[in-house]
Amino acid sequence: MLLDDLLKSPGEWLGGAGPQADIVISGRVRMARNLAKYRFISRMDTAERQAVVDLVKSCLIARGVAPADRIFELQQVPKLDCKLLVERHLISKEHEEAPHPRGVAIGDGEAVSVMFNEEDHIRLQVLKSGMRLQETFVQAQGVDAKLDEDLDFAFSADLGYLTACPTNVGTGMRVSVMLHLPALVITRHIEKVFQAVSKINLAVRGLYGEGTEASGHFYQISNQVTLGKTEADIVANVEQVIPTIVNYERKAREELLKKDRVRLEDRVWRAYGLLKHVRVMTSDESMMLLSAVRMGVHLGILPGLDIGTVNELFLFSQPAHLQKLAGKALEAHQRDIRRAEFIRGRLESK
Amino acid sequence: MLLDDLLKSPGEWLGGAGPQADIVISGRVRMARNLAKYRFISRMDTAERQAVVDLVKSCLIARGVAPADRIFELQQVPKLDCKLLVERHLISKEHEEAPHPRGVAIGDGEAVSVMFNEEDHIRLQVLKSGMRLQETFVQAQGVDAKLDEDLDFAFSADLGYLTACPTNVGTGMRVSVMLHLPALVITRHIEKVFQAVSKINLAVRGLYGEGTEASGHFYQISNQVTLGKTEADIVANVEQVIPTIVNYERKAREELLKKDRVRLEDRVWRAYGLLKHVRVMTSDESMMLLSAVRMGVHLGILPGLDIGTVNELFLFSQPAHLQKLAGKALEAHQRDIRRAEFIRGRLESK
């Protein structure tokens, strides 16, 4: 099964490369597109939905967005593999759970992916590590242009791209950046930052998008408005605010180090000590501990540990990854034991 | 200063030897004696108190209970060293804090010690690791007999030995056993056990005697009644109940292992992971963590660690021991840093 390949490493977006990678995990540009000749997904019957799947698939292959063996119809993908795709940010939770014909194409290195028959006929995304939204945006435009050559997109001269949900109408574009902000949480400044962000029409979400908790001190900042602005404006808008937040986080880290260095070191070492020794660990706990360790590595408190290992642990200690590594479905308590074992093993060998 | 010798190792009583040493830390026999020709301490002036000190000291030396250089007048002992003696169970907290002429004699290996001018003129104790009260009692009788040859004890044919506090009148003897009962605490059976114990006139106290908390899951069981019973009865009374409590603790451990072995292992490894990595640790936290680790070693969960090291850490991570090791007085936060450092160091080298 090709999806097992994914277990060899995390996607490029979690590689810890790219500018400001200590705080900016990744940037993402997502475009929603619909086919002019088809009704929206929710109005279609199964045959029509399958027709869209077939049409989009052949276009993706023809235009070289993804090879045929990296395009998956999710009805044919085992449940656990679908969950794996969610954990890797390649498909949404809703897409995983939907009952109708649908799929995903995964481009090289997982940077490019295209969901078809999610909320819209097509949702393409480019996801890259670190702070490089401009480059990410250009690549997304490239994929969009390729698809546009074959497919006739629903587009109104007044409104722009038409989408199933009115909040996406216009550019159909969402730009988001995933940030790691532990020091702002510890110093209790995070709420102030988010109040400021929401005033300029940006949204704050947790690790797995809308409605999810900010597990492991990861936060996604994204644009709310897609209409009445150019794509370049939206990118610029998000790009402008991120350095401010990143600076706040840096200052909060400096403040913690200055005020009580040993207390911060203690927090990091406690997390490391637990990760290295516990026998049962929930996902929530591992995220919180890994968050402290991640900050510790970047502050030079844990010099022997490389950040790639830590970033990888965030992903591989998720439920579906753990079960795929174990080669079988596991109940929650069994996962908690495996998780502890897996993390211990990875840290031990370092 | 001779007291620095004490830092080389803990006393024999904490050596982890003796029967049932996994649960029975130590047993102690203490005898209260007063001199017939002197008033009780509280009624004396300073000159009289000093006269008692001089008299008892010369007797202790003459009878070979302790050599001259192991007999200390506490007014001449620095505050920190006095606290060290409290932590080693060689003197009481009250004795440390009293303002008048007083002292302590320390026999070989710290098994025998004699306080003079504490609440009574003389309080001799024998303290030994593990469950061997009979042997301890015989040794205490030997010390008592030696002193009796030179000193005229206040004794009434009706009441027995006369003591400053009526609760000690009669035999003047207190027998106590220090137990480590973590599993009974975890399974919440500890209260039931203590209710049963108090019904047969035994008292339950914390690590440092009356009024102290059961830090690190250590409990002292001792007789309440000293009057109207023979010494042998009192020893037999305590000796009889201890195996029952020890068995309850063993059953609680088995129950924990049987019900959820991995959960218990997790508890032990978490404690070990923290002890080995934290940077700041309060005395309370270290006692709780060491307690879990101590149980873990005895259950074979932490095979690489010897129990001597763990027992030693209980004592050496106490405030006065830490400060003596550091060679200077330290404030609470500095002690917490040193404590973490010290424990880490000891566990690292194992």
Side-chain angles (χ1 to χ4, degrees):
Chain A
M1 168 66 172
L2 231 167
L3 277 177
D4 290 347
D5 280 8
L6 299 182
L7 292 173
K8 287 183 193 154
S9 71
E12 185 280 334
W13 65 275
L14 202 57
Q20 323 254 35
D22 54 340
I23 294 171
V24 183
I25 305 287
S26 59
R28 189 178 74 115
V29 171
R30 184 220 73 192
M31 290 169 177
R33 298 288 182 260
N34 285 278
L35 303 172
K37 287 180 192 131
Y38 290 83
R39 293 184 287 179
F40 285 135
I41 307 284
S42 60
R43 313 297 294 271
M44 282 178 170
D45 61 25
T46 301
E48 282 177 288
R49 285 167 174 165
Q50 189 60 51
V52 169
V53 166
D54 296 339
L55 179 62
V56 175
K57 272 181 70 170
S58 64
C59 164
L60 288 165
I61 297 166
R63 291 295 160 184
V65 174
D69 62 359
R70 303 287 278 179
I71 302 178
F72 304 95
E73 295 194 35
L74 294 186
Q75 313 95 281
Q76 289 147 34
V77 175
K79 194 84 188 147
L80 194 54
D81 292 86
C82 287
K83 287 186 187 295
L84 191 80
L85 294 171
V86 175
E87 290 176 1
R88 296 182 87 91
H89 294 256
L90 292 169
I91 68 172
S92 64
K93 218 168 153 44
E94 293 72 25
H95 202 44
E96 178 231 322
E97 287 165 358
H100 58 255
R102 70 206 188 282
V104 64
I106 305 171
D108 198 31
E110 300 176 52
V112 174
S113 64
V114 181
M115 285 189 284
F116 37 95
N117 284 3
E118 206 247 18
E119 189 180 280
D120 297 295
H121 295 146
I122 292 172
R123 289 210 164 175
L124 68 92
Q125 78 166 14
V126 179
L127 178 62
K128 280 178 167 316
S129 64
M131 186 62 199
R132 35 183 176 169
L133 279 185
Q134 207 57 47
E135 189 184 328
T136 306
F137 170 55
V138 169
Q139 193 172 350
Q141 278 184 312
V143 177
D144 182 41
K146 279 184 189 170
L147 298 178
D148 200 21
E149 285 180 42
D150 283 354
L151 304 170
D152 181 13
F153 289 148
F155 186 85
S156 140
D158 283 347
L159 293 171
Y161 291 102
L162 301 178
T163 55
C165 178
T167 59
N168 291 314
V169 166
T171 57
M173 191 170 87
R174 181 140 290 153
V175 175
S176 63
V177 175
M178 176 120 63
L179 301 172
H180 185 225
L181 305 175
L184 285 173
V185 176
I186 295 170
T187 57
R188 297 168 197 273
H189 290 144
I190 195 94
E191 281 305 322
K192 267 188 286 177
V193 171
F194 292 157
Q195 278 163 20
V197 163
S198 65
K199 274 186 196 149
I200 53 171
N201 281 320
L202 296 179
V204 180
R205 296 193 178 90
L207 181 57
Y208 284 100
E210 214 154 344
T212 65
E213 291 273 312
S215 171
H217 304 138
F218 289 117
Y219 293 90
Q220 276 189 56
I221 312 282
S222 63
N223 64 306
Q224 293 272 50
V225 179
T226 57
L227 184 68
K229 288 190 171 192
T230 66
E231 278 95 343
D233 282 345
I234 293 171
V235 173
N237 192 11
V238 175
E239 223 172 16
Q240 200 177 2
V241 76
I242 298 300
T244 312
I245 303 177
V246 168
N247 267 343
Y248 280 140
E249 171 67 18
R250 286 202 203 293
K251 276 190 188 145
R253 292 182 184 192
E254 279 164 30
E255 190 190 315
L256 287 171
L257 282 174
K258 218 171 116 188
K259 228 178 82 188
D260 196 348
R261 184 181 187 95
V262 75
R263 188 68 69 189
L264 187 67
E265 288 176 348
D266 185 58
R267 182 188 281 266
V268 170
W269 280 106
R270 272 174 194 268
Y272 181 71
L274 287 173
L275 287 167
K276 222 173 154 173
H277 291 94
V278 301
R279 263 47 188 171
V280 189
M281 189 177 285
T282 64
S283 183
D284 274 356
E285 186 183 15
S286 72
M287 293 298 279
M288 293 310 288
L289 297 178
L290 286 168
S291 171
V293 163
R294 188 177 195 280
M295 178 170 64
V297 170
H298 283 302
L299 292 177
I301 294 173
L302 290 167
L305 195 59
D306 71 297
I307 197 66
T309 303
V310 180
N311 287 339
E312 207 177 305
L313 284 176
F314 273 111
L315 188 63
F316 281 78
S317 62
Q318 301 289 330
H321 275 78
L322 277 179
Q323 290 175 88
K324 282 293 289 181
L325 287 169
K328 60 182 175 189
L330 299 168
E331 285 177 25
H333 184 58
Q334 288 304 315
R335 285 204 302 273
D336 291 348
I337 294 173
R338 278 272 180 174
R339 180 176 294 113
E341 206 172 273
F342 176 74
I343 295 176
R344 249 175 19 241
R346 284 284 165 116
L347 292 179
E348 212 54 68
S349 66
K350 294 290 157 183
Chain B
M1 168 66 171
L2 231 167
L3 278 176
D4 290 348
D5 279 9
L6 299 182
L7 292 173
K8 287 183 193 153
S9 73
E12 185 280 335
W13 66 274
L14 202 56
Q20 323 253 34
D22 55 337
I23 295 172
V24 183
I25 305 288
S26 58
R28 190 176 72 114
V29 172
R30 185 221 71 192
M31 291 170 177
R33 297 289 181 259
N34 287 275
L35 304 172
K37 289 180 191 128
Y38 290 84
R39 293 183 287 179
F40 286 136
I41 307 284
S42 60
R43 313 297 291 272
M44 281 178 173
D45 62 23
T46 302
E48 282 177 290
R49 285 167 174 163
Q50 188 60 50
V52 169
V53 166
D54 295 340
L55 178 64
V56 174
K57 271 181 70 171
S58 63
C59 165
L60 289 166
I61 296 167
R63 293 292 160 188
V65 175
D69 62 356
R70 303 287 278 181
I71 303 178
F72 304 95
E73 295 193 34
L74 294 185
Q75 311 97 281
Q76 287 146 36
V77 174
K79 194 82 187 149
L80 194 54
D81 292 86
C82 286
K83 287 184 185 299
L84 191 79
L85 292 171
V86 175
E87 290 176 1
R88 295 182 89 90
H89 293 257
L90 293 170
I91 66 173
S92 64
K93 221 172 150 45
E94 293 71 26
H95 202 45
E96 178 232 322
E97 287 166 357
H100 59 257
R102 70 206 189 283
V104 65
I106 306 172
D108 198 32
E110 298 176 52
V112 174
S113 62
V114 181
M115 286 190 282
F116 36 95
N117 286 1
E118 206 248 16
E119 190 179 277
D120 297 296
H121 296 147
I122 293 172
R123 289 211 164 176
L124 66 92
Q125 79 167 14
V126 177
L127 178 61
K128 282 179 166 317
S129 65
M131 186 63 197
R132 37 183 174 169
L133 279 186
Q134 206 59 47
E135 189 185 328
T136 307
F137 171 55
V138 169
Q139 193 171 352
Q141 278 185 312
V143 177
D144 184 40
K146 279 185 191 171
L147 297 179
D148 200 21
E149 287 180 42
D150 285 352
L151 303 170
D152 181 14
F153 289 150
F155 185 84
S156 140
D158 283 348
L159 294 171
Y161 291 102
L162 301 177
T163 55
C165 178
T167 58
N168 291 312
V169 167
T171 57
M173 192 171 87
R174 181 140 289 153
V175 174
S176 64
V177 175
M178 176 121 61
L179 300 171
H180 185 224
L181 305 174
L184 285 173
V185 176
I186 294 170
T187 57
R188 296 169 199 271
H189 290 144
I190 195 92
E191 281 305 322
K192 267 187 285 177
V193 172
F194 292 154
Q195 278 163 19
V197 164
S198 65
K199 275 186 197 152
I200 51 169
N201 281 318
L202 297 179
V204 180
R205 299 195 175 88
L207 182 57
Y208 285 100
E210 214 154 344
T212 66
E213 291 273 312
S215 172
H217 304 139
F218 290 117
Y219 294 89
Q220 275 189 58
I221 313 281
S222 62
N223 64 305
Q224 293 271 49
V225 179
T226 57
L227 184 69
K229 289 192 171 189
T230 66
E231 277 96 343
D233 282 346
I234 293 171
V235 173
N237 191 12
V238 175
E239 224 172 13
Q240 200 178 3
V241 76
I242 299 299
T244 312
I245 304 178
V246 168
N247 266 342
Y248 281 140
E249 170 67 19
R250 286 204 203 291
K251 275 189 189 145
R253 291 181 185 191
E254 278 163 30
E255 189 191 316
L256 287 171
L257 281 173
K258 214 171 121 187
K259 227 178 83 188
D260 197 347
R261 184 184 185 93
V262 75
R263 190 67 69 187
L264 187 67
E265 289 177 346
D266 185 58
R267 183 188 282 264
V268 170
W269 280 105
R270 273 174 194 267
Y272 180 71
L274 287 174
L275 286 167
K276 220 172 153 174
H277 291 95
V278 302
R279 262 48 186 170
V280 189
M281 188 177 284
T282 63
S283 181
D284 274 357
E285 186 183 16
S286 71
M287 293 297 282
M288 294 309 290
L289 298 177
L290 285 168
S291 172
V293 163
R294 189 178 194 281
M295 178 170 63
V297 170
H298 282 302
L299 292 176
I301 295 171
L302 289 167
L305 195 58
D306 70 296
I307 197 66
T309 303
V310 180
N311 287 340
E312 205 177 306
L313 285 175
F314 274 110
L315 187 63
F316 281 77
S317 62
Q318 300 290 329
H321 275 79
L322 278 178
Q323 292 175 86
K324 284 291 292 181
L325 287 169
K328 60 182 174 188
L330 298 168
E331 285 176 26
H333 184 56
Q334 287 305 315
R335 285 204 302 272
D336 291 349
I337 294 172
R338 279 272 179 170
R339 180 175 294 113
E341 207 171 274
F342 176 74
I343 294 175
R344 248 171 25 236
R346 284 283 166 114
L347 292 179
E348 211 55 68
S349 66
K350 295 290 155 183

